[in-house]
Amino acid sequence: QVQLQESGPGLVKPSQTLSLTCTVSGASIRTETYFWNWLRQPPGKGLEWMGVISGSGSAWYSPSLKNRLSISMDTSKNQVTLQLLSVTPEDTAVYYCAAAKTLILGATTKDSYDYWGQGTQVTVSS
């Protein structure tokens, strides 16, 4: 059973960099079995796919975020990290990490993913 746990600051000021961590247990993030995704859900809106990284470290990003988003891996801690630059209040959302056995760029339905973290609320405000 794969378990995912997101962590990070609950409050970030505008123009700062948001850094979130997804700690994975039950599987190595280096495995080729899963792709590690980040999604978010702004208040009152649907899920937005942000990006994904494979076990070999290849990453794909949403075109709308690729200039600000970076996803990487810390294999020593079995963690997947997200960095989002120059945040604005529009980046306020619940952020999720999710594991999928298939690489599907842009998937926003919950059944496209095999495992989900519980999500972490991020508010961008001064």
Side-chain angles (χ1 to χ4, degrees), residues 3-124:
Q3 293 184 319
L4 310 173
Q5 177 68 58
E6 304 91 345
S7 60
L11 180 65
V12 184
K13 294 185 187 307
S15 80
Q16 290 186 339
T17 296
L18 169 64
S19 295
L20 296 175
T21 298
C22 176
T23 300
V24 179
S25 59
S28 169
I29 61 173
R30 295 292 301 271
T31 181
E32 295 298 326
T33 302
Y34 295 105
F35 295 89
W36 311 101
N37 295 261
W38 282 99
L39 300 94
R40 65 182 181 180
Q41 186 165 22
K45 298 184 179 180
L47 280 170
E48 177 187 12
W49 179 81
M50 302 179 69
V52 60
I53 191 166
S54 72
S56 61
S58 298
W60 296 263
Y61 301 110
S62 166
S64 65
L65 293 171
K66 65 178 182 178
N67 291 333
R68 299 195 292 135
L69 179 62
S70 176
I71 299 175
S72 59
M73 305 165 70
D74 184 338
T75 56
S76 67
K77 298 179 180 178
N78 215 41
Q79 293 175 334
V80 178
T81 59
L82 172 151
Q83 283 200 324
L84 186 63
L85 306 178
S86 303
V87 297
T88 72
E90 285 67 39
D91 294 309
T92 294
V94 178
Y95 285 73
Y96 298 93
C97 59
K101 291 182 179 179
T102 304
L103 177 63
I104 305 176
L105 303 182
T108 56
T109 55
K110 292 210 167 184
D111 60 6
S112 296
Y113 300 92
D114 296 278
Y115 299 100
W116 287 83
Q118 65 182 24
T120 186
Q121 172 71 47
V122 174
T123 301
V124 180

